[in-house]
Amino acid sequence: MNVHYMTTSRSNPRFFIFSQVFECVERTDNIFELKPNWQEKVQISAWVEFWSREGYVLLEQKWHKLHPSYEDQIGKATPEESTYWQELWEQHSLDINAHFWRIFKCAFENYENDFRQGLGADINISNVDKQLAELNINAEISQNSLTTNENSDKLDERQQLMDLGLPTSFGSLAKRRRRSKAQHISESESDSENMANHTDDALHGVQSRVIKKKKKRPNLDIIPEFMRDDGMMHRYWVKRFSLFSRFDEGVRLDRESWFSVTPEKIAVQTARRLACDIIVDAFCGCGGNAIQFAMTCSRVIAIDIDADKLEMAKHNATIYGVAHKIEFIHADFLQFASSTNLRPDVVFLSPPWGGPNYKKRSNFNIETSLLPVGASELMQHARRLTDNIGFFLPRNSLSPQVIALAGVGQQCEVEYNYLDTRLVAITSYYGYLIQQDSTAADSDS
Ligand code: ADP
């Protein structure tokens, strides 16, 4: 299996979303069926979604970089010069489209692999108890093989930050390849099929080579003290704007939050999907999601069991000018859900994933490895408040378990979030949050 990694911009990765709606249906065999041609449907809707969200901005940004004098010149251009600019813009649009299509194709190829992996082996979605029993055994085996020394923890952290779409050593190679390939872009490549063929060629072997980058030395004066002596963290400090675009205005994160906060692009997308009147952010942490919810919802109830995290969240929300829309509640969500009379429109669940070791397993068991309780129990608590639930889960979560949370006869939408070509996490939606028109495949199981 080829796994390609490319970055478009180290500090500002592109965000691709691949989404499918599933139905949870009882069946007696172990087969998880997908509708024919599901790949094509998912790919088309994901590309259309990406290009309509980011395409024009990308075209404009690159155009002004390439032609800084355009604004001055177009005002006094002769008709011939105007035609020249027009043709140049059309060619530019084709080139940029082709460029991002290649990266998108690479992300999609990874999605297909990641999705298959997420199905797990020998899983019977209709028999949840048996399924969980099998998975418990798998989880124990992989747990035993984990190493726990300090070095391996550091590597985990580094890996976790890389998975957030932060730097990869493949960036410069990918850039050089794209530069050399750009010389060969012909007009015919505006046709998406031709571009698709070109992609495999352009990416061949990318995953097998590592290019050494020149070390970028950050300004040590502005790095938080706890990161200063940790050389490994310096390179991640440079990427802080992936997490909070307004980081330099004073965003506060503790060490743990560097690894767990939702990257802003994903938080923006989740907030777009969960837009409503009243939303509960059940595990708000330092506020990455709550801040974005405040932009799309009338009222946000942000809950966390850790008072320090809540303080950071409040401070960060002030920077974004949305603190007045968020009610910060210091509580255990499970107790809160059992005792409140509040009936929000939506509950968002982003519980702890049990530290960075989760990705050492090929599959993540959401029933045994999430904290403070398994996914089904957590859903039961959330459903006391509403059936409309968004669930932010590890990228290697077992898809059958995620779908089973919908309940037999119900649907669920599973969204795979990629920053550049790296799968960062999964968001699943239940209740009225499912977007029917994104239905591309479903399981008959
Ligand atoms: P991750 O494993 O994704 O890194 P975190 O450790 O950041 O997750 O956990 C997310 C947040 O959930 C943290 O801020 C933590 O304080 C909070 N949290 C943990 N348990 C509860 C709970 N029972 N109720 C509310 N918040 C909780």
Side-chain angles (χ1 to χ4, degrees), residues 256 260 282-283 285 303-306 309 331-333 350-355 372:
E256 188 188 49
S260 62
F283 302 85
I303 299 168
D304 205 286
I305 205 166
D306 181 336
K309 288 260 182 14
D332 175 340
F333 171 68
S350 171
W353 297 350

Side-chain angles (χ1 to χ4, degrees), residues 72-91:
D72 289 340
Q73 292 191 28
I74 195 67
K76 46 189 183 212
T78 62
E80 290 76 29
E81 285 168 340
S82 294
T83 311
Y84 165 78
W85 280 114
Q86 179 64 30
E87 283 169 7
L88 207 58
W89 169 263
E90 277 163 18
Q91 187 56 47

